[in-house]
Amino acid sequence: MGLSLARRFMIIGLLLVSTIAQAQNKKVDSLKAQLKIHKLNDSTKVNLLYYLAFAHFQSDSYLTQTYLEKADRLNKELDYPKGKAKVFYLKGILENRKSNYNKSLDFFKQALAIDRSIDNLDGMAANYTAFGITYYDLSQYGEAIVFYNKAYETYKKIGNKREQATLLINMGNVYSEIGKYEEAVENYKKALVQSEALNDQDGVSFVHSNMANVYKVQGNFPLAIDYYNRALAYDRKTKDTLGMAIVLNDLGAVYSSIKKPEKALVLHGQSLDFSLKKGNKRLVAANNSNIGNIYSAKKEYVKALAYYQHSLNASQEIGDLKQIAICFNNIGAVNLSLGHSKKAQQNFLRAKEIAENTNIKNILAISQVSISEAFFMENEYKKALLYAKSGYHTSKELDVLETQKKALGLLAKIYERTKNYKKALESHQKFKVLNDSLFNKENIEKVARLEYEYKYKQALDSASIRELKLTKTVMTTSNDLQRTKQNYLWAIIGILVISILSGSLVFYQKYKNVKIKNQNIITEQRLLRSQMTPHFIFNSLSVLQGMILNKEEKKSITYLSKFSKLLRLVLENSRDKIVPLIQELDAIDNYMILQNLGAKPPYDYSLVVDENININLFLVPPMLIQPFIENAIEHAFSINQEHRGIEVHLSFKDKKLSCAITDNGIGIDAISNKINTKKKSLATTITSERLNLLAKDFNMPGFVYVEDRKKCNEQGTKVTLIIPYKIIKNS
């Protein structure tokens, strides 16, 4: 994904020239004509030379150097600091394009020092951005974010919205790289809105390219292809050969993923030609790696290893840590296919170490699952299990389905080998959900076999226990009869009576537990049905239909995506007794985003979590909070109310996890008196019932309290939930 960042320099550099050359589409001939007319050796001439150098840097390195040297000589004659800074800046860009990152940083430092000395905010912002891009290319993502933020704040002071959009794209790329896809998409969407408002087609193209990268990683290949083609059309229109090379490489990777290797090879071949002509080693490395993947899939391992080695050499030469980690994973995978598990393991471990140090979580997840495969091949099941679990949790955190599926398939095999058939079955059932060929014969047979083996083992164990008890009873009775001692007989009778009573008590206790669990399940099912009501689904589909009829294509795609994700989250959460708090909050966020897409006016929604709550460590019962938010949306506000606010606040005090849902509507007392709301809300009744059961199960308080805010001289309703919870230890 980072490859598209190199294109961002085009936007930055154009802003540093004088007003004579600020229009991006000015023809080079026009600039040459102006330069010919302009006889004075002054700052204007420096800017013309600089802009001519910049105009040629993507297509003709010789002319770029020629104009740059002329500008540099004139700068020294005039002692023109702003011009000197521009020259250093463009030299830095040229070195970055060649992947000479250390030289690039040196030039940017010199440019930044000059711009600071003359308080040139435009130049400072451009250099901050250049630092961010270069650190990104070096996989130093923390440093990249720091400089992007500095650039963003500086452009904000200047009032340059176009470059603010650029910085949003760049920050989105960093978040995407470290697996924070929600944050990435959020930044891209903001950038797209700004770019469209400015009619900045260049910016729109960049957003399309980077959105496609996110969809590719998440496995949404049709959307990825669509967005890549939009970006490619623009690059062809503007004759941006490096941009075309980047998009062609990404498109090739997508076609490889959807099992179209011949199409992928053609695309990678075109991209590699452009990359070699441009001397972009980073892109050369990426294409070699992707071509290696195609040959590996075709089981042509010698060719695959050769391409991977080319990629590794180029990546090490420029210090591209991300691509180095990818290469080690790929080389390891080939060795694993060839049965060389030890060699494979060494490569996977090197990739894992790099991914951990650079916080590239998607590569880390692949490395963890691959290490597990190597240990599995060596029959070291404990180690294999450890890494498979780590890989599954990392990929689940990122919502990367392909790696999750691979991890679950591997877990099923490990549990099966270790005869833990119950967990093998559970893992394979989860694997089924993620697998496209969900109902194929192979899966059905495998699940049936796992079910049979698990049930057979249960029956066998139960039979063995009964046989042992019976044998003991027979032997005891036989000995007693032989001894003919009445006191022994009475003792046995006493023991049997006590055993029967004890067994009855145990049975009764188990019966009570089962009854409580059944009540819990019934309550949860009722809550689920009341939460995602047909009324809500019907309204959502009606809103979607309206968007489609109004030809709001982008908005309808966003709405449908959010709606499907919300449904998936609800269904997933409904299967589990407890879920991470972060997962519950994600479902609430998606619900509110979906509501606001169709709401006029939108709700002013906020979610506040106190600092002493680690949302990754707290485990809570799912779907407790959302019904009250839905209740507020449906009943809390009058029709003409303009400002409609809903706040969710989670706090943790005195070992109690509390959630307050507050609105600024008409208040619960007024709602209760309304003619159309005589029917009591199911959310309060069912959740109260469910919390009573959960309180017993978790052995801690759990209840719901609803009050009108007029008691506090405020408007609206406040619902307070005391939520039973568990905390993950040793995390």
Side-chain angles (χ1 to χ4, degrees), residues 289-308:
S289 178
N290 286 327
I291 293 170
N293 290 339
I294 295 168
Y295 284 118
S296 179
K298 295 169 79 173
K299 297 185 179 179
E300 296 182 36
Y301 297 124
V302 175
K303 282 186 179 179
L305 281 172
Y307 277 103
Y308 288 149

Side-chain angles (χ1 to χ4, degrees), residues 672-684:
S672 301
N673 294 328
K674 284 171 68 177
I675 296 171
N676 294 330
T677 54
K678 289 180 180 178
K679 194 174 180 180
K680 192 177 180 183
S681 169
L682 284 175
T684 305

Side-chain angles (χ1 to χ4, degrees), residues 492-651:
I492 291 168
I493 292 169
I495 291 168
L496 287 172
V497 170
I498 292 168
S499 298
I500 290 167
L501 289 172
S502 300
S504 299
L505 287 170
V506 170
F507 176 80
Y508 179 72
Q509 191 61 42
K510 285 185 176 179
Y511 171 76
K512 280 183 68 179
N513 290 339
V514 169
K515 189 176 180 182
I516 288 170
K517 286 179 181 177
N518 286 340
Q519 283 180 319
N520 213 344
I521 290 167
I522 291 165
T523 304
E524 287 174 359
Q525 287 173 341
R526 286 167 64 194
L527 180 68
L528 177 61
R529 287 196 295 270
S530 72
Q531 183 207 24
M532 296 303 293
T533 58
H535 176 262
F536 165 65
I537 294 170
F538 176 80
N539 279 352
S540 299
L541 293 176
S542 296
V543 171
L544 181 61
Q545 183 184 31
M547 290 176 182
I548 293 168
L549 291 172
N550 292 332
K551 296 182 180 179
E552 296 175 287
E553 183 184 349
K554 293 179 182 177
K555 194 173 179 182
S556 63
I557 289 170
T558 303
Y559 190 94
L560 184 58
S561 173
K562 290 291 180 186
F563 182 60
S564 63
K565 185 172 182 181
L566 177 60
L567 285 177
R568 189 184 75 177
L569 280 169
V570 170
L571 291 172
E572 284 180 351
N573 288 356
S574 68
R575 292 199 305 266
D576 299 320
K577 182 179 177 182
I578 52 176
V579 297
L581 180 56
I582 188 172
Q583 195 169 310
E584 179 73 350
L585 298 181
D586 188 32
I588 296 167
D589 276 341
N590 273 280
Y591 177 79
M592 283 309 303
I593 290 168
L594 187 65
Q595 287 291 341
N596 272 336
L597 281 172
K600 290 182 181 179
Y603 299 94
D604 184 8
Y605 163 71
S606 65
L607 173 63
V608 180
V609 182
D610 284 358
E611 291 181 356
N612 62 341
I613 299 175
N614 188 329
I615 58 176
N616 291 298
L617 298 184
F618 273 73
L619 299 174
V620 297
M623 296 176 294
L624 281 173
I625 303 169
Q626 186 272 344
F628 293 99
I629 298 174
E630 183 177 352
N631 214 38
I633 289 170
E634 289 186 2
H635 304 299
F637 306 102
S638 61
I639 296 172
N640 299 322
Q641 187 167 340
E642 292 183 2
H643 177 252
R644 301 184 292 179
I646 297 174
E647 179 181 305
V648 180
H649 180 201
L650 277 89
S651 57

Side-chain angles (χ1 to χ4, degrees), residues 139 312 316 320-333 343-371 387:
S139 302
L312 182 60
Q316 287 174 331
D320 184 351
L321 296 177
K322 179 194 171 187
Q323 190 60 42
I324 291 169
I326 291 170
C327 289
F328 281 133
N329 268 337
N330 289 337
I331 293 168
K343 279 186 180 179
Q345 193 182 115
Q346 289 169 4
N347 283 285
F348 292 143
L349 285 167
R350 291 172 80 177
K352 172 180 167 287
E353 184 182 356
I354 294 169
E356 285 175 335
N357 291 336
T358 54
N359 196 32
I360 310 175
K361 289 189 177 179
N362 58 330
I363 295 176
L364 176 61
I366 294 166
S367 303
Q368 289 167 330
V369 175
S370 300
I371 293 167
Y387 280 104

